[in-house]
Amino acid sequence: MVLTLERFIGKVAVVTGASAGIGAAIVEELVKNGLIVAGLARRINKIEKIAHKLSGQKGTLCAFKCDLTEESQIIATVEEVIGTLGPISILINNAGLSQHTSLLRGETKKWKTVLDTNILGLCIVTREVAQNIIANKTAGHIIHINSVLGHVVLDIPGLNMYGPTKYAVTSLAETLRLEINREKLHVKVTSISPGYVKTEFQDIAEFGELPMPALHPADVADAVSEVIVRAVERFSGKVAVVTGASAGIGASIAEDLVKNGIIVAGLARRTENVEKIAQKLTGQKGKLYAFKCDMTVEAEVIATIKQIIAKLGPISILINNAGLSLNTSLLGGDTKKWKTVLDTNILGLCIATREVAQNMIANKTAGHIIHINSVLGHQVIDFPGLNVYGPSKYAVTALAETLRLEINREKLQIKVTSISPGYVKTDIQSVSGLGDLPIPPLDPADIADAVIYALSTHPHVNVSELTVRAVGS
């Protein structure tokens, strides 16, 4: 799979905070992909220099002066962009800042500047652009550049106002998505939450460099553009293990990996289904091998991993896709059903991860472990029959992050990613006795795309959590 921005070529994108750092990297990526970009910033001369450097590219960068703490300026600038360039298709809310302050003895003026830029300015720009998108019935995309500090509170002196504003951005992105769904608009909303990115942001905030590995602005630009032209070349010829590979998401992942030149060990109880998929993939760059394995039986998992290593070689990728739900409840539930769900979704995942991780460690492999999670691992919903499935996915969320921290502590070069899809139409619904749900579904191939994206990132970039939903869900 190769993703490009072809459907947006010649369309207009607005990027706030476009004069330096992440914003500058984003506008460069968009212009190179043929978009007409309106770069907003107070320092317009810096955008003009970037525009000059990008002369001759497929797209164009136009500079617009705007202070995002001034509502009248935002409204006038968006109107100017539309008048000059035409209807807007994409908004990247990148502008953000931190000022060194505290809550106990903080300066109100600094608090207000941070709040006005990171929250209020973002809301005003979003409202103005959204109205243009709605008026023109545009299938648009609004992206908020958030932060990991919008999901976890850290005790970093001086950042005591910045983190809470990013928590607000997390909520604003989801609230906006729900508003858009309610109005049945074809507008996507994405929140991208980078870790520490080395930019001039730290100097402005009076922090200097932090004592931890840093991302580059271009890494965030890659996430924004989703341009996966690198595919997964560095894994070509390497071995990947995919659990639950006989149908649905697992089958789609196995297919995409094989098409990208990877040697795939597909684990399932129904090996005949995996063998049929392997036959269909004959002639592709990679190859699919079927291995029979029941993920609820530890001895089988251990023996199968050993068999894969002996037959195919060291493992570089593990996709923990196997998972199931059985129609049950907590008040009157069936213990056997509970145990089957927990043994598959949690214990089997942990055993497979341990066995593969030990192989990666022994071979000093720069590997990647991906857990196929669920939005139900982040949000509790009142859905009869799913009362054990959701908690098992909450456990997967914690397991992914706990594994990442263990790996960091041991200084291993192994990435960990949790991919959390919304409703995907597969045979899991019929197996669980739930049937189809009355909401827009994703296709299994959409989740395979997300896996390829996570694998395709630069070696120093780890996408730790990726949430994927169907538009309108």
Side-chain angles (χ1 to χ4, degrees):
M1 181 209 58
V2 176
L3 294 181
T4 65
L5 293 172
E6 286 181 5
R7 73 187 185 93
F8 286 115
I9 288 176
K11 304 293 187 182
V12 177
V14 173
V15 180
T16 67
S19 61
I22 293 171
I26 291 170
V27 300
E28 288 193 27
E29 193 72 57
L30 295 179
V31 168
K32 288 174 182 177
N33 277 277
L35 279 76
I36 301 167
V37 180
L40 276 58
R42 289 173 300 173
R43 299 172 296 179
I44 195 170
N45 57 311
K46 292 203 170 188
I47 301 179
E48 289 167 345
K49 287 180 182 177
I50 299 167
H52 181 71
K53 184 178 77 171
L54 293 171
S55 296
Q57 293 292 340
K58 288 165 66 180
T60 307
L61 172 60
C62 304
F64 292 84
K65 186 176 178 64
C66 185
D67 182 344
L68 288 174
T69 65
E70 298 290 338
E71 181 176 16
S72 59
Q73 277 196 36
I74 296 171
I75 294 171
T77 303
V78 172
E79 288 178 354
E80 185 184 358
V81 169
I82 296 165
T84 306
L85 305 178
I88 299 166
S89 294
I90 298 171
L91 168 63
I92 315 289
N93 279 309
N94 168 70
L97 63 89
S98 180
Q99 303 226 332
H100 202 282
T101 185
S102 69
L103 298 182
L104 293 176
R105 298 175 182 84
E107 186 179 334
T108 305
K109 185 178 179 181
K110 286 185 175 181
W111 291 350
K112 189 176 187 303
T113 301
V114 174
L115 293 171
D116 284 354
T117 304
N118 297 5
I119 303 176
L120 192 59
L122 175 146
C123 288
I124 295 168
V125 177
T126 300
R127 180 191 67 202
E128 297 305 305
V129 171
Q131 290 307 308
N132 181 251
I133 289 174
I134 292 167
N136 289 282
K137 297 181 179 177
T138 303
H141 201 148
I142 296 170
I143 299 176
H144 296 344
I145 303 302
N146 198 346
S147 166
V148 294
L149 296 182
H151 306 271
V152 61
V153 176
L154 298 181
D155 183 20
I156 302 178
L159 270 179
N160 295 16
M161 185 58 69
Y162 177 77
T165 66
K166 290 303 185 178
Y167 261 84
V169 171
T170 300
S171 179
L172 284 167
E174 180 62 5
T175 304
L176 177 63
R177 187 185 71 82
L178 294 173
E179 276 198 27
I180 284 170
N181 286 355
R182 191 164 58 244
E183 296 200 17
K184 294 180 170 48
L185 305 172
H186 289 286
V187 183
K188 297 182 181 180
V189 180
T190 301
S191 169
I192 296 176
S193 298
Y196 169 42
V197 184
K198 192 174 179 181
T199 68
E200 64 177 12
F201 177 93
Q202 289 81 36
D203 296 328
I204 294 170
E206 303 171 28
F207 291 113
E209 294 184 12
L210 302 181
M212 63 181 73
L215 293 165
H216 304 299
D219 299 323
V220 185
D222 282 351
V224 169
S225 64
E226 296 182 346
V227 180
I228 312 179
V229 293
R230 294 182 303 279
V232 284
E233 287 175 3
R234 72 188 182 94
F235 287 115
S236 184
K238 304 293 186 183
V239 177
V241 174
V242 180
T243 69
S246 62
I249 294 171
S252 286
I253 292 170
E255 287 190 28
D256 258 14
L257 294 178
V258 168
K259 289 173 182 176
N260 278 276
I262 296 169
I263 300 165
V264 179
L267 276 59
R269 289 174 300 170
R270 301 172 294 178
T271 52
E272 66 276 9
N273 285 11
V274 182
E275 288 163 353
K276 286 178 183 176
I277 298 166
Q279 182 66 31
K280 186 177 75 171
L281 293 170
T282 301
Q284 294 292 339
K285 289 165 64 180
K287 192 167 183 180
L288 174 60
Y289 295 86
F291 290 84
K292 186 175 178 63
C293 185
D294 183 341
M295 298 300 296
T296 66
V297 181
E298 180 176 15
E300 280 196 36
V301 177
I302 294 172
T304 304
I305 297 300
K306 286 180 179 177
Q307 186 185 358
I308 291 167
I309 295 165
K311 182 174 182 177
L312 305 179
I315 299 167
S316 295
I317 299 168
L318 170 63
I319 315 290
N320 279 309
N321 168 71
L324 70 109
S325 179
L326 295 172
N327 199 334
T328 186
S329 68
L330 296 182
L331 293 176
D334 182 334
T335 306
K336 186 178 179 181
K337 287 183 176 181
W338 292 349
K339 189 174 186 304
T340 301
V341 172
L342 297 175
D343 283 355
T344 305
N345 297 5
I346 303 175
L347 194 58
L349 174 146
C350 287
I351 295 167
T353 300
R354 179 191 66 202
E355 298 305 305
V356 170
Q358 289 306 309
N359 181 252
M360 289 178 177
I361 293 167
N363 290 282
K364 297 180 179 177
T365 302
H368 203 145
I369 297 170
I370 298 178
H371 295 345
I372 303 302
N373 197 349
S374 168
V375 293
L376 298 182
H378 306 268
Q379 180 184 11
V380 177
I381 64 169
D382 183 20
F383 200 106
L386 276 177
N387 295 15
V388 174
Y389 178 77
S392 76
K393 290 301 186 179
Y394 261 85
V396 171
T397 300
L399 284 167
E401 181 62 6
T402 304
L403 178 63
R404 189 184 69 82
L405 295 173
E406 275 198 29
I407 285 169
N408 287 355
R409 189 164 62 244
E410 296 200 19
K411 295 180 168 50
L412 305 172
Q413 295 299 309
I414 301 172
K415 299 183 185 184
V416 181
T417 300
S418 165
I419 296 179
S420 299
Y423 168 42
V424 185
K425 193 171 182 180
T426 68
D427 64 3
I428 191 174
Q429 289 85 38
S430 56
V431 171
S432 63
L434 296 172
D436 291 339
L437 303 183
I439 54 176
L442 292 162
D443 296 317
D446 300 324
I447 313 311
D449 286 351
V451 168
I452 296 297
Y453 168 62
L455 291 172
S456 74
T457 55
H458 292 291
H460 70 283
V461 176
N462 184 64
V463 178
S464 56
E465 176 64 45
L466 193 57
T467 303
V468 185
R469 291 184 173 96
V471 173
S473 67

